[in-house]
Amino acid sequence: MEQYVIKGGNPLVGEVKIGGAKNAALAILAAAIMTDETVLIENLPDVRDINVLLQAIEGIGAVVERIDRHTVKINGSMISDVNIEYEYIKKIRASYYLLGALLGKYKRAQVALPGGCNIGSRPIDQHIKGFKALGAEVRIEHGSIFTEADQLMGNHIYLDVVTVGATINIMMVAALSKGNTIIENAAKEPHVVDVANFLNSMGANIKGAGTDVIRIKGVEKLHKTEYSIIPDQIEAGTFMFAAAATKGNVLVKNVIPKHLEATTAKLLEIGCDIEEYDDAVRVIGTGKALQHTHVKTLPYPGYPTDMQPQIAVTLGLSQGTSIVTESIFENRFKYVDELARMGGDIKVEGNTAIINGVRKYTGARVSAPDLRAGAALVIAGLSAEGITIVDDIVYIQRGYECFEEKLRGLGAQIERVNSENEIQKFRLKVG
Ligand code: UD1
């Protein structure tokens, strides 16, 4: 099992380039099998979740050709199987996007039912409600969801909760259903828009993505396209908080600043300076003490739940008491006990964390409980006095490409290691 070993205390300074959005890419890769023609996808992040999904897509008979690390060609004409095994779903929940993609294209699909996950229970009732509204039968048997339809017909669907996954899954099915579909109370996240743009580039007719009403006119079939995925707002935000927590000065490049507004607003509130460019954002955290603030996670354009651990770790170093409320997932404070081992002072009550700022963290051995919490613990390690070892970094590798290399490019002392021996060597090297 690999670990990160970090010698904290260096302000991060320099420039970092952000990759393609993992969560957009997961849905777009699934949607790529919806045509029999070849689709070229660029700006793909080279992270574990993406590579597992590509294996799942190959597993059902699609041809996947890796052009380079960030570019792939997919041809779904040879798909022979509409059954996605539990082996994939247990590694990566988002393989459930193949449910919508396969149902839309072949009018039937079978996907192992995703269970709960580290950040809490994750129901899929809204996906099922949408599929049924479009005319599909849905059965849950032997741990899998079976869905099929004689004919898929557009419908008016109101989502009871704002959900990214259900919005995208329903959009994919509706793209190839007969007639018109209206999704109300749709998720507005940038990756919902990216998936709609991708489907439209394949000949779909989707309007309103990015608002809470999406209108879809079904088309007969989809065709080939070449498409470049949007930048990853969560990777960008993670580096922005790393700059703030280490009192550094970082230019985060290749981003869409509009997608980062909730993050930049909070960084300004806690006392960082922000410079915005067309496709870059600079975070300057030097000089002054960080101030406390309050934050509540909400669907986009609210503050993202995937950035909650990163801001909490930063607020843990700010003057005063901050309150962080998690309103999307119930189990997203697992990093708090780990951070306590580094000197953090955070009390969790229900879905609220009360954070009393401390002057500094001190290095300790901690364990990444999930993807974003793991990244947040790395931020804590980068700002801490002494050496931090982060175990279970396999979670972090699910969503961050070359995380340690990018951080080293900003002056961080961090290495990916595989044994106690290597940890010892790092200790000797950094003194
Ligand atoms: C996606 C992101 C995840 C992010 C989340 C919220 C991907 C691969 N993952 O997850 O990183 O944290 O959006 O921005 O894109 N819900 C229901 N019924 C459903 C579906 C969802 O009640 O059928 C609830 C969930 O329990 C949660 C809320 O809706 O409380 C939002 O979930 P959702 O937006 O669907 O998250 P995901 O798409 O799974």
Side-chain angles (χ1 to χ4, degrees):
M1 286 297 229
E2 291 182 321
Q3 294 99 5
Y4 282 138
V5 55
I6 304 163
K7 165 97 185 287
N10 286 7
L12 297 189
V13 176
E15 297 181 1
V16 62
K17 189 162 173 251
I18 298 306
K22 169 184 82 80
N23 287 347
L26 289 169
I28 285 173
L29 289 176
I33 62 130
M34 294 178 74
T35 171
D36 282 343
E37 298 180 3
T38 300
V39 170
L40 178 92
I41 300 165
E42 294 171 319
N43 203 30
L44 205 63
D46 185 12
V47 295
R48 198 172 133 252
D49 274 11
I50 296 294
N51 296 324
V52 173
L53 184 63
L54 285 172
Q55 282 167 20
I57 288 173
E58 264 185 323
I60 54 171
V63 178
V64 174
E65 188 191 343
R66 210 61 194 240
I67 307 295
D68 62 35
R69 197 168 178 188
H70 300 124
T71 312
V72 73
K73 269 188 186 170
I74 295 179
N75 183 296
S77 64
M78 306 288 279
I79 290 175
S80 49
D81 192 357
V82 291
N83 176 6
I84 308 298
E85 305 280 355
Y86 185 59
E87 177 197 341
Y88 297 113
I89 279 283
K90 81 170 184 244
K91 284 196 197 139
I92 162 197
R93 243 184 140 263
S95 26
Y96 66 29
Y97 283 135
L98 287 166
L99 201 55
L102 291 167
L103 176 62
K105 187 178 181 198
Y106 297 107
K107 312 285 172 272
R108 63 201 173 89
Q110 176 184 345
V111 173
L113 193 62
C117 76
N118 289 359
I119 59 175
S121 108
R122 309 210 25 199
I124 57 159
D125 56 303
Q126 299 303 306
H127 302 237
I128 293 173
K129 171 176 163 172
F131 297 158
K132 284 186 172 165
L134 295 173
E137 265 183 43
V138 184
R139 303 187 318 274
I140 297 181
E141 281 170 7
H142 307 297
S144 287
I145 312 176
F146 295 78
T147 176
E148 58 186 322
D150 290 334
Q151 197 182 37
L152 293 164
M153 286 291 285
N155 204 342
H156 199 132
I157 299 161
Y158 173 81
L159 295 176
D160 301 316
V161 285
V162 179
T163 135
V164 173
T167 302
I168 291 177
N169 242 339
I170 295 168
M171 206 162 68
M172 290 197 284
V173 181
L176 288 177
S177 300
K178 264 195 182 351
N180 298 332
T181 296
I182 300 176
I183 308 175
E184 300 225 42
N185 199 25
K188 297 182 282 213
E189 268 69 1
H191 39 299
V192 173
V193 180
D194 209 34
V195 179
N197 288 342
F198 172 70
L199 287 166
N200 284 343
S201 77
M202 293 168 88
N205 185 339
I206 302 173
K207 297 209 166 88
T211 75
D212 47 21
V213 183
I214 301 181
R215 293 168 199 276
I216 303 152
K217 255 192 193 146
V219 296
E220 283 270 306
K221 61 179 188 168
L222 300 173
H223 56 67
K224 67 180 174 187
T225 187
E226 294 185 1
Y227 196 82
S228 181
I229 289 165
I230 52 165
D232 196 311
Q233 51 155 343
I234 307 299
E235 186 194 11
T238 302
F239 281 99
M240 290 164 75
F241 277 108
T246 60
K247 304 209 183 310
N249 182 335
V250 174
L251 184 67
V252 183
K253 288 168 51 172
N254 190 33
V255 298
I256 299 174
K258 170 94 191 131
H259 295 169
L260 296 167
E261 273 173 355
T263 300
T264 39
K266 287 294 155 191
L267 284 165
L268 285 167
E269 270 176 43
I270 66 175
C272 294
D273 291 330
I274 304 280
E275 291 169 7
E276 259 184 35
Y277 304 93
D278 285 349
D279 63 353
V281 176
R282 182 182 289 284
V283 178
I284 306 160
T286 36
K288 352 171 203 180
L290 297 174
Q291 300 304 312
H292 69 105
T293 192
H294 305 320
V295 60
K296 180 175 182 179
T297 62
L298 287 169
Y300 188 85
Y303 187 86
T305 174
D306 286 354
M307 288 294 304
Q308 181 261 103
Q310 300 89 318
I311 192 172
V313 159
T314 309
L315 292 173
L317 292 169
S318 306
Q319 286 185 341
T321 300
S322 302
I323 296 176
V324 174
T325 307
E326 172 58 59
S327 81
I328 312 286
F329 293 113
E330 78 254 26
N331 206 0
R332 266 207 131 154
F333 288 126
K334 278 196 183 161
Y335 58 89
V336 163
D337 291 341
E338 302 298 306
L339 200 59
R341 308 189 60 248
M342 300 178 70
D345 180 359
I346 305 184
K347 193 166 163 230
V348 176
E349 278 178 14
N351 69 343
T352 302
I354 301 146
I355 304 174
N356 291 310
V358 294
R359 206 173 50 78
K360 61 174 188 199
Y361 295 133
T362 51
R365 188 155 192 154
V366 293
S367 184
D370 60 66
L371 165 59
R372 305 304 173 183
L377 289 172
V378 170
I379 296 178
L382 293 169
S383 58
E385 184 182 282
I387 291 192
T388 295
I389 297 154
V390 182
D391 282 313
D392 292 336
I393 63 166
V394 63
Y395 287 115
I396 303 174
Q397 291 162 344
R398 289 182 52 183
Y400 292 89
E401 180 178 327
C402 299
F403 197 35
E404 68 281 7
E405 280 171 39
K406 289 187 182 184
L407 288 166
R408 274 200 300 269
L410 297 170
Q413 288 183 287
I414 175 169
E415 264 171 39
R416 182 154 50 107
V417 296
N418 210 347
S419 64
E420 295 305 315
N421 207 356
E422 284 180 8
I423 295 176
Q424 203 47 38
K425 268 195 202 153
F426 178 86
R427 283 184 194 277
L428 290 172
K429 193 169 94 184
V430 297

